[in-house]
Amino acid sequence: MRQATVYIDREALQYNLNRVKQLAPTAQIVSMVKANAYGHGVKDCLAALGDTDAFGVACLEEALEIRELGYQQPITLIEGIFSEDEMQVVVENNIECVVHHQQQLDWLRAHKARYIGKNLKVWVKLNSGMNRLGFKVPEIIEVINSLKAEGFTCVLAMHFANADADHPLNEQQKSQFLQVKQACAPVMGSCCNSAAIYKWPELNFDFVRPGIMLYGASPFADKSVHDLDLKPVMTFSAEIIALNHIQAGEHVGYGSTFTADKEMNLAIVSIGYGDGYPRAFPKQNYVSIKGQATRVIGRVAMDMIAIDVTGIDAPLGTEVELWGKDRLVDDVAEANGTIGYELLCRLSPRPIRK
Ligand SMILES: *Cc1c(COP(=O)(O)O)cnc(C)c1O
């Protein structure tokens, strides 16, 4: 069988969840498992995230998958519902909604009695300058205060545009959040993703929403998962399926873009963009063989790559780590000009999941 495999380390996931608990001991943890748990596979991840207080997903289908797997924790739809008929399903399955515009408020109010009857919280989204979703100040104050007066339990929710960086917008977002929280007191609050959990412990409030850190990738460009004391959860690997010895001047792969400058040993590995491994690498990319970094040479094809194994003991069948504990996904992403999040999410269905 072609070996292109995704292995999920559940203990690493539990370890990372515990890191969230250490960093935000008084907050409840809403584990973000949208996009099939950032490409890791929701089923495996939920099994390791049993201790989480709640889950966050991007749509009703993702929430229902969690219910079908038998998990009873609260689930938040971070973009709310997309049409009124979803409200029925939401209430039946004890799912909580973000509301970020007037139409969603109308839908919520139309189902008020059942929603409140199930003790479901409403997550009211503040647009404090990211300008994606939410009500602005001062409108949101009016929205939350009237929802409270109608009997709803509200959580003031916000998302940082630059939690991973120093940016002047951070101060504006923080101060608007605090202003609204005060004007609507008492109201629960939630504004921290992974980066914010690390950076602003004072903003953990009632619910933190870790995503990428759970999976053992870094939200920061300048801090590795080792710096953050996180463990990579996914190991993406493949096998050496052919070996070639080439002379100086010979080329490798499509477009013959690589030319050997000396004699070398090449290995062909059964991975390609058909598996979700990126094709374009503006910077030199590497894979790891038993902890030893070796370069990828020539173009990435749909099913294969070539690597330099000169001086490395790597017979046929040797396992090659594309990303995982040795070759960090964040470093592959950097060479690819993107972020770890994207590489993890865009794996194709082809690799075998172990
Ligand atoms: C995806 C998401 C998160 C998690 O962000 P990470 O950077 O992965 O920790 C938190 N909150 C919201 C609203 C999100 O959409």
Side-chain angles (χ1 to χ4, degrees), residues 32 34 38 78 125 132 159 193-195 209-212 341:
M32 300 306 294
K34 58 192 178 186
Y38 289 45
I78 57 171
K125 182 92 174 206
R132 266 187 344 184
H159 197 55
N193 62 355
S194 302
R209 308 188 305 263
I212 198 72
Y341 297 72

Side-chain angles (χ1 to χ4, degrees), residues 144-158:
I144 294 179
N145 283 334
S146 45
L147 285 172
K148 281 174 63 182
E150 291 161 49
F152 287 100
T153 306
C154 295
V155 182
L156 168 62
M158 187 190 83

Side-chain angles (χ1 to χ4, degrees), residues 91-106:
V91 177
E92 273 163 19
N93 291 279
N94 292 311
I95 295 165
E96 300 185 347
C97 293
V98 159
V99 292
H100 60 79
H101 63 56
Q102 183 60 44
Q103 196 175 35
Q104 289 180 329
L105 273 178
D106 297 342

